[in-house]
Each structure stands twice: as C-alpha cells, then as structure tokens.
Amino acid sequence: MKDNATPQTSPETEEEEKKFNLKEEILSWIQILVIAALIAFVLNRFIIANSRVPSASMENTIMTHDRVIGSRLTYLFSDPERGDVVIFYFPDDITEKTYYVKRIIGMPGDTVDIRDGHVYLNGSDTPLEEPYLREPMETPVELHYEVPEGCYFMMGDNRNYSADSRFWHNTFVKREKLVAKVLFRYFPSIGRIQ
C-alpha cells in the first residue's frame, strides 16, 4: 500500500529554504532598484531636463523656486522658435554646470533694439508683442544687439529683475548650449509653460 501523505521536512530544511528565499527576495529588490536607477539616469541625461528656478526673473510664467521639466529631444528634431522658454547652459559659466531658464527673444541673424520699454526686431517700428511680461520694462538707455548666426538672445519675463542677455559678458547663447525646451512646471503645482 502506497503512502500518499506529504513528506515531512525537517526544521533545518525549512530554515534553509527561508534563508534561500530571503536571499532571492533581496536580489530581486536590488535588481529592481538598479533598473530604476538606470531608467532615471537615461531619462534625465538624454530625454528630460529638470531645473529649479531660484529667482523671480521669469515671473509670472515661472515663479521663484518652481521646478520645471524640459524636453531634451525637442531641439534634436526641430529648431528653436522665438518665444520658447528654454533651459540652457549659462554662457558666462565655462564649467557648464549652471542652468538658466529664459525666453528666446532674438533668433540667429536678428537685430534686437530695446527702447521705451519695448523690444523691436529687425528694424520694425512695431514692438514685439509680449503678453507674458509681468510689468512694463524699464529702459533707461537704448540698447542694440545683432544676434550672430547659430546664437540666441535671451530675456526673462520679469524684465526689471532678470539677469539676461542684456547683462551677460557673453551676450548670446550658442545653439549647442540649449539643453531643453521647457514643457511644464511640476512643483509646487503642475502647469504647462508657454
């Protein structure tokens, strides 16, 4: 007569199985964490750019201490456009460790004149329409810039409190220094940036 009873395991065998399962569980978690870290690295290095805006230079579009996300892929497949809000390497920082966030005002080959609180492009008598400005811009002196090919002239939306192309030693941002087009704010609130 055959015995159909389940074979009994000794306490030592049960303990070994528990140890083995615990080892498997730990390895499984380590694998998950490594994969998550690799995905985060790839996303942050090649697909998105994350930046914190420390000043009021882009208010009211982006408020002080807002965190924004930009697409690194945008300018691989299309050209920057006037009015884009972008993350770029600050042109006066040769280490390329400082990100700035500003709006593209002057395109390659443009002339930019700033007078009477307005921006005029390419000799036009009509000022650039800028509904995103926080307040009228103070212009104690007239300014004139000629944007070189492959470069951009950047300004903040809060013009009276923005350290931008008007004040930098290296006035223009080269195309290769553009990191990403800002898409949205994710902290402290979520919102699209335009």
Side-chain angles (χ1 to χ4, degrees), residues 24-121:
E24 272 187 6
E25 188 69 24
I26 290 170
L27 284 174
S28 172
W29 278 103
I30 289 172
Q31 287 175 337
I32 290 169
L33 291 173
V34 167
I35 290 169
L38 283 172
I39 290 170
F41 173 78
V42 168
L43 280 173
N44 200 38
R45 183 80 175 137
F46 302 106
I47 298 175
I48 63 169
N50 173 18
S51 186
R52 180 179 158 273
V53 179
S55 71
S57 70
M58 284 299 293
E59 289 183 0
N60 286 332
T61 305
I62 302 170
M63 303 304 285
T64 306
H65 305 303
D66 278 1
R67 289 192 168 272
V68 295
I69 292 283
S71 168
R72 291 180 186 267
L73 300 177
T74 299
Y75 298 137
L76 290 179
F77 302 108
S78 64
D79 289 325
E81 296 179 7
R82 188 182 330 281
D84 285 357
V85 177
V86 297
I87 299 170
F88 56 92
Y89 293 113
F90 176 46
D92 288 347
D93 178 7
I94 58 169
T95 66
E96 293 190 350
K97 291 183 179 179
T98 307
Y99 281 159
Y100 263 41
V101 177
K102 304 287 181 201
R103 190 178 297 274
I104 295 176
I105 300 300
M107 302 291 289
D110 278 352
T111 59
V112 179
D113 290 290
I114 301 171
R115 63 179 185 273
D116 304 323
H118 298 285
V119 173
Y120 297 85
L121 298 172

Side-chain angles (χ1 to χ4, degrees), residues 150-167:
C151 294
Y152 299 87
F153 185 84
M154 306 291 194
M155 295 180 82
D157 290 356
N158 190 5
R159 300 279 162 81
N160 298 325
Y161 300 94
S162 177
D164 52 37
S165 285
R166 297 170 293 169
F167 306 106

